[in-house]
Amino acid sequence: MDKNCLFCKIIKGEIKAKIAYENEKVFAFYDINPQAPTHVLIIPKLHISGAPEIDDNNRTVVSDLIIAANEIARQSGIDKTGYRLVLNCGPDAGQAVFHLHLHLLGGRKLNWPPG
Ligand code: AMP
Ligand code: ZN
C-alpha cells in the first residue's frame, strides 16, 4: 500500500468507487470517465506502479488481472461481442495513475489504431 496512491485509497475504501469485481488479489471498479459503455479498471491489491515494474518476481499479477477481466467481460455480457484490454505505460501512453491498472473496454466497436 502506498498512502499517497489514489487507487490504494480506492482499495481501502477511503475514496468511493463503484466496485465491479473483487477477489483475494484483485480489485476492479468502473472508470469515472468511461470511454466505452463498459469501462472497468482492474488493479492488483498490491501497489505496483505500472506494467514496466512487472518482472520475474511478480509475473503472476498479470494473469490475475486478465483472468479477472475475462470474468468481468462475461458478467457484463461483452465476452461474445469482444473487448479491449489496455495497459498504458508512461507519459506517451497517457498513464495518469501510477498504480498498475488494466483497462477493460467494450460494448461498442473500438477503433484501431487507438488515438
Ligand atoms: P491511465 O490514463 O491509464 O492512467 O488511466 C487512469 C484512469 O483512471 C482514467 O481512465 C481515469 O478516468 C480513471 N480514474 C481516475 N480517477 C478515478 C476515480 N476516482 N475513480 C475511477 N476511475 C478513476
Ligand atoms: Zn497504489
Side-chain angles (χ1 to χ4, degrees):
M1 289 291 161
D2 176 337
K3 62 178 173 16
N4 298 314
C5 170
L6 173 66
F7 287 177
C8 283
K9 289 179 184 171
I10 286 179
I11 293 166
K12 282 191 279 181
E14 289 176 9
I15 291 176
K16 278 210 169 67
K18 190 181 170 204
I19 299 175
Y21 178 89
E22 184 175 8
N23 70 24
E24 191 187 312
K25 294 176 189 162
V26 170
F27 194 84
F29 53 97
Y30 290 90
D31 198 293
I32 205 168
N33 183 23
Q35 301 302 312
T38 297
H39 187 175
V40 175
L41 301 176
I42 301 106
I43 69 176
K45 289 189 171 173
L46 195 70
H47 179 85
I48 295 172
S49 67
E53 213 187 302
I54 296 292
D55 60 22
D56 275 345
N57 299 310
N58 58 15
R59 62 196 302 153
T60 58
V61 167
V62 179
S63 42
D64 291 337
L65 296 182
I66 293 176
I67 290 165
N70 292 340
E71 175 61 26
I72 297 161
R74 283 190 290 271
Q75 286 175 10
S76 306
I78 58 168
D79 53 317
K80 300 290 191 297
T81 45
Y83 49 97
R84 185 169 292 162
L85 301 177
V86 177
L87 293 169
N88 289 323
C89 303
D92 275 1
Q95 185 179 356
V97 179
F98 286 81
H99 181 127
L100 176 63
H101 51 282
L102 182 63
H103 292 259
L104 165 65
L105 296 147
R108 69 169 170 85
K109 182 84 178 153
L110 299 164
N111 298 322
W112 192 263

